[in-house]
Amino acid sequence: MGQETDQSTPDEFAKAARCMSEPPPPRHNVESGEYNHLLERYKALAAIEHIDNPPPLVIVESPFVGQSGANGTTKNVAIRSRLLQLLTDAELDDTLAHELRHVAQQRSNQSFDSSEGSEEDADKAAVIATGNKEATITGLNKIASEQIKEVIAKMEKCFGDLSEEQIEKLINDQKAFLKIRTNAIKNVDLLPGGQGR
Ligand SMILES: [Zn+2]
């Protein structure tokens, strides 16, 4: 952040957003070969979540974790290639199940009250689909710790060195968000010995 963030105009915000944003990374459809296993898991999880004709799964080639995503009108579900290196199979299952829930949300135009945002809803649906709270929470934490490093690096590149206080605030804000999501996951009732629902 610059010294004069108090006087930021919308124009400056736009400039900052441009500086922070990455160019769109190349993506490719997951059809066969090295991603077969991932595609099988994706289809299996879609069936568990009762999602017919799940959108194509695409891998986004990116050195960043960023976020996986179920885009707009669910044209596809995108997983960043960096996630494939960072996460175990169980944690990846959870990521796929989470994004599939966003597909269901978008298809049903479901709205969420303030006590439950779409992220918590997707986390809960994912843990029910995979039946693995531990992997869900570990995966979330791994992604969060990569993301905070990436955010700090990008901000320093755009705005110069951040102060200790600024870095601490970023980390604390993220920890608070992570705590909300982790608690939502812990509170899911799973049926003993298997999947919930
Ligand atoms: Zn999400």
Side-chain angles (χ1 to χ4, degrees), residues 70-81:
N71 299 359
T73 49
T74 62
K75 283 197 274 283
N76 55 53
V77 165
I79 300 292
R80 291 199 177 222
S81 54

Side-chain angles (χ1 to χ4, degrees), residues 101 105 108-119 121-122:
R101 177 63 178 178
Q105 289 167 354
S108 67
N109 275 327
Q110 203 171 334
S111 58
F112 299 89
D113 64 35
S114 55
S115 66
E116 178 159 285
S118 57
E119 285 308 307
D121 177 71

Side-chain angles (χ1 to χ4, degrees), residues 67-70 98-99 102 105 118-120 122-123 181:
Q67 56 204 10
S68 40
H98 176 106
E99 298 310 329
H102 284 319
Q105 289 167 354
S118 57
E119 285 308 307
E120 289 99 307
D123 286 342
R181 291 180 67 177

Side-chain angles (χ1 to χ4, degrees), residues 36 40 45-46 54 63 65 71 78 92-93 102 137 140 149 157 165 180 185 197:
N36 244 339
E40 289 309 310
L45 289 160
V65 169
N71 299 359
L92 266 176
D93 270 7
H102 284 319
I137 292 170
L140 257 188
K149 282 187 262 174
K157 195 170 149 223
E165 288 79 9
I180 292 170
I185 293 162
R197 210 176 281 280

Side-chain angles (χ1 to χ4, degrees), residues 22-82:
E22 304 155 33
R27 56 179 58 206
H28 57 80
N29 277 12
V30 176
E31 274 147 10
S32 60
E34 65 179 309
Y35 298 114
N36 244 339
H37 175 64
L38 195 67
L39 189 58
E40 289 309 310
R41 295 301 304 146
Y42 178 71
K43 287 177 181 167
L45 289 160
I48 290 170
E49 295 195 47
H50 306 291
I51 295 169
D52 294 330
N53 301 316
L57 180 64
V58 303
I59 300 293
V60 174
E61 296 298 341
S62 170
F64 302 106
V65 169
Q67 56 204 10
S68 40
N71 299 359
T73 49
T74 62
K75 283 197 274 283
N76 55 53
V77 165
I79 300 292
R80 291 199 177 222
S81 54
R82 180 82 182 84

